[in-house]
Amino acid sequence: MDSLLHTWPVPSSAMLWGTKNSPGSVLRLVNITIGFCSLNFSIVAYLFLISGEGPDGPFARAWLIAFATANLFPTAAWFLGKVRGPRATKLFGIWADLGTASVIITFTNHDAALFATALFVATGAYFTYFLNFRWLAFHLAFSCTFIISLAILAIADGTSTTAGIIARTDVVLCAVIFIPATIQFAWRQLLARATGSKIDALTGLLNRRGMWDMSERVWSIAHANRADIAVAVVDIDKFKAVNDAYGHEVGDTVIIRTANRLQQHVNGFGYVARTGGEEFTIVMIGTPYGLRKRIAALPRAAIEPTDAPLATVSVGAATMPFIPQLEQFDYNAFSRAIVHADHLMYQAKSAGGNSANTAPLDMTRFNRTE
């Protein structure tokens, strides 16, 4: 199975704004918002077509109709939640920018075309929220170059005063540049503050608070992909002896080393949170076989023969099968999975450690149709 966590259309940092009571609401809001913006573009294109200010000539009009109609397909994909993954979101951003420019350039009235470039504000919002700042910089460079070129063409037409065209260009550029740039700056600051309280300072992993927020996201991804979920509790064996023999500084090094290896092991299929001094909680999604295999390999993934000091881990994991009716994040089911995994972890530790115990969680009581 592919790395399911990479199929999510929104960056993980943005998903931290999801609410605890409606984990899927953020994704649905994203899909609906982008869908409406995309639909609005097609509507505006049709309106310009019949307004008399749009393109003249059969080719230009045919192109506008073709693009506005073709745009209804990605619009429907957003409404239905079918746009997934970073590649799809980037391609849609390119489609939005190039498509907007290709329609506007067909206008014979360059002054009217200059007004239509305000549509780049909408695409700028998309780049701001759903792609990184490098993509936003690409959008701003492209749109500004396009707008300035139109302004030059409008001045050359001589249908309006140069001062008026410059004034309109200035207004459009301010909207296209400063609104997305300001939002991007504020957005990054807010996300930094929001995520800072959910990150463990020593390891850089999520802490217990961050674990619960991210669990909602993983639950929604698992349901969308009809995947199972595994919750594993990992504890470093005989960690007190490491601290006593080598000191707390070496103990911290062991914790960081273990955290990095655990995250590398589950990368793309889940996340690791530090939920105690030497304890970690892992949440993964995948097929039943894939989860069992990945859980069984956790003790081996956490150590290397050259480690000094050598620190093994004990693992307990509870698996939750996919249940179609459980679309919304179930706090009680997830809490029971953690408790069950913790119990299994202590069984592994009592048996000598450096092993993994896995068992399914009874989900019958959580199936709301029964």
Side-chain angles (χ1 to χ4, degrees):
M1 180 176 289
D2 292 335
S3 301
L4 295 180
L5 294 188
H6 295 160
T7 67
W8 203 247
V10 181
S12 59
S13 56
M15 292 307 298
L16 292 175
W17 292 96
T19 61
K20 293 190 185 315
N21 295 325
S22 53
S25 63
V26 173
L27 177 58
R28 287 192 292 271
L29 180 60
V30 167
N31 289 333
I32 292 172
T33 300
I34 300 177
F36 270 120
C37 289
S38 183
L39 177 62
N40 184 64
F41 175 86
S42 292
I43 293 173
V44 170
Y46 291 132
L47 289 175
F48 268 118
L49 186 66
I50 62 177
S51 68
E53 297 181 347
D56 291 331
F59 174 78
R61 294 174 67 86
W63 172 248
L64 188 147
I65 294 172
F67 184 84
T69 303
N71 188 61
L72 296 176
F73 290 97
T75 297
W78 277 110
F79 277 124
L80 297 174
K82 299 297 184 181
V83 179
R84 294 178 180 173
R87 179 178 299 178
T89 54
K90 292 172 184 176
L91 286 175
F92 182 78
I94 294 172
W95 164 268
D97 262 0
L98 294 182
T100 300
S102 70
V103 169
I104 293 175
I105 200 64
T106 62
F107 288 25
T108 54
N109 186 334
H110 293 123
D111 206 13
L114 190 61
F115 169 76
T117 57
L119 288 170
F120 282 118
V121 175
T123 56
Y126 175 83
F127 279 91
T128 298
Y129 285 111
F130 306 115
L131 295 173
N132 61 39
F133 70 92
R134 292 184 179 87
W135 279 90
L136 176 62
F138 160 79
H139 159 78
L140 293 178
F142 172 79
S143 56
C144 289
T145 301
F146 184 79
I147 292 169
I148 292 172
S149 299
L150 274 181
I152 294 172
L153 291 174
I155 293 173
D157 290 341
T159 56
S160 300
T161 64
T162 300
I165 293 173
I166 293 175
R168 283 190 288 277
T169 303
D170 180 69
V171 170
V172 173
L173 284 176
C174 285
V176 170
I177 295 174
F178 292 113
I179 291 177
T182 303
I183 293 175
Q184 173 71 207
F185 176 77
W187 180 247
R188 289 169 67 86
Q189 293 298 314
L190 289 172
L191 285 180
R193 294 179 182 178
T195 57
S197 63
K198 302 173 186 179
I199 300 298
D200 175 60
L202 178 64
T203 63
L205 299 176
L206 294 172
N207 57 23
R208 188 176 295 275
R209 179 182 176 187
M211 176 195 74
W212 283 103
D213 285 345
M214 191 61 73
S215 296
E216 297 181 10
R217 177 186 176 225
V218 172
W219 185 285
S220 294
I221 298 172
H223 190 275
N225 289 275
R226 306 179 69 85
D228 288 5
I229 300 175
V231 178
V233 175
V234 181
D235 193 82
I236 300 176
D237 296 325
K238 302 176 182 178
F239 183 73
K240 184 177 184 302
V242 173
N243 270 340
D244 292 343
Y246 299 96
H248 289 282
E249 184 174 350
V250 173
D252 287 347
T253 301
V254 170
I255 291 175
I256 295 171
R257 183 183 71 195
T258 304
N260 291 337
R261 290 175 181 172
L262 292 176
Q263 185 59 63
Q264 290 172 4
H265 181 67
V266 306
N267 191 36
F269 290 86
Y271 70 90
V272 183
R274 185 186 178 202
T275 50
E278 66 274 15
E279 181 183 279
F280 306 90
T281 300
I282 301 175
V283 180
M284 295 180 286
I285 58 179
T287 63
Y289 172 77
L291 289 175
R292 288 196 301 270
K293 183 178 179 181
R294 200 166 292 273
I295 292 166
L298 278 170
R300 296 191 302 274
I303 60 173
E304 292 183 0
T306 57
D307 287 346
L310 183 68
T312 62
V313 298
S314 296
V315 180
T319 58
M320 294 183 285
F322 168 73
I323 297 178
Q325 294 80 11
L326 287 181
E327 178 179 1
Q328 300 297 314
F329 180 67
D330 194 310
Y331 178 90
N332 291 328
F334 200 85
S335 297
R336 281 181 53 83
I338 293 176
V339 172
H340 192 38
D342 192 61
H343 179 70
L344 292 169
M345 182 273 293
Y346 277 107
Q347 287 183 352
K349 192 175 286 289
S350 298
N354 195 26
S355 62
N357 287 338
T358 307
L361 180 70
D362 182 8
M363 299 292 289
T364 304
R365 63 184 295 178
F366 302 109
N367 192 333
R368 294 168 184 166
T369 63
E370 297 182 5

